[in-house]
Amino acid sequence: MPEAACQQGPKVCEGGLTWIKPSFLWMMYRCGWATKAGQETVLAVEIGREGFEWALRHACLSSYVPGTHTDRAAWQRELRRSPTRVQWDPERDLRLRPLPYRSLQLGLSGEAARRYADEWTVAVRDVTPLAHEIHALVRDGALDAARALLPGERPYPAPEESLRNPRP
């Protein structure tokens, strides 16, 4: 199954949102280190910068924030028109506890989901064995060894205009 998914590219959720979760540890929190039912396979999907920035430019916050939109009705109109939703969730540590800062999650629908699957995807890798290896080290208390295996992540230098709506 993972091999076929890696060859076919990302799955797009029909009728719902397809989520991009750039944080490895947040994804491990979401899938329970690839142990939750229906989430036993974890794929790392690499997309091009142009696609990611398109998604940011066309995004709307997934929840109403007073002061960001003129009122709740304006936010709801923008949400209905937007092919991308931005959500900010607490980042996680190796034990999957929430940290005091947040990670971006991008929900894609309609045009954004089609572009993601058909145009933006550069590579797909099965990282399930890595998730299991890191999880085993965490369970054994070998946090330094687990941390050394984490995929490299760094703040994304997005152009200011792409962040006009999705600020936390």
Side-chain angles (χ1 to χ4, degrees):
M1 168 66 178
E3 297 81 18
C6 287
Q7 292 169 355
Q8 294 172 9
K11 179 182 176 187
V12 174
C13 180
E14 296 296 328
L17 294 174
T18 296
W19 287 91
I20 295 175
K21 301 174 185 306
S23 163
F24 182 82
L25 287 174
W26 198 95
M27 190 63 220
M28 294 306 99
Y29 165 74
R30 178 71 175 85
C31 72
W33 294 102
T35 62
K36 289 184 180 178
Q39 299 181 51
E40 296 91 349
T41 300
V42 180
L43 301 177
V45 180
E46 181 183 345
I47 66 171
R49 183 180 184 104
E50 184 177 303
F52 190 75
E53 289 179 3
W54 186 97
L56 288 176
R57 283 191 311 274
H58 293 84
C60 178
L61 288 171
S62 63
S63 58
Y64 173 68
V65 178
T68 300
H69 299 93
T70 54
D71 57 34
R72 187 174 294 277
W75 164 73
Q76 288 173 332
R77 282 189 303 276
E78 185 176 345
L79 189 62
R80 280 191 298 275
R81 287 192 313 261
S82 176
T84 311
R85 293 182 186 176
V86 168
Q87 184 170 302
W88 296 91
D89 294 315
E91 181 56 88
R92 301 291 166 158
D93 67 11
L94 279 166
R95 297 194 187 276
L96 307 182
R97 297 174 299 208
L99 292 169
Y101 55 93
R102 294 182 173 266
S103 289
L104 174 80
Q105 316 296 322
L106 276 174
L108 310 177
S109 65
E111 179 183 2
R114 284 187 299 278
R115 286 175 177 243
Y116 167 70
D118 298 338
E119 300 171 20
W120 302 344
T121 301
V122 174
V124 181
R125 292 182 330 275
D126 180 6
V127 294
T128 309
L130 177 63
H132 291 161
E133 183 178 3
I134 294 172
H135 186 213
L137 290 168
V138 170
R139 276 194 322 260
D140 292 343
L143 298 183
D144 289 338
R147 195 171 292 107
L149 294 178
L150 288 173
E153 295 178 4
R154 60 191 184 283
Y156 185 79
E160 185 64 27
E161 67 273 7
S162 67
L163 297 174
R164 63 176 177 75
N165 289 328
R167 295 179 198 196

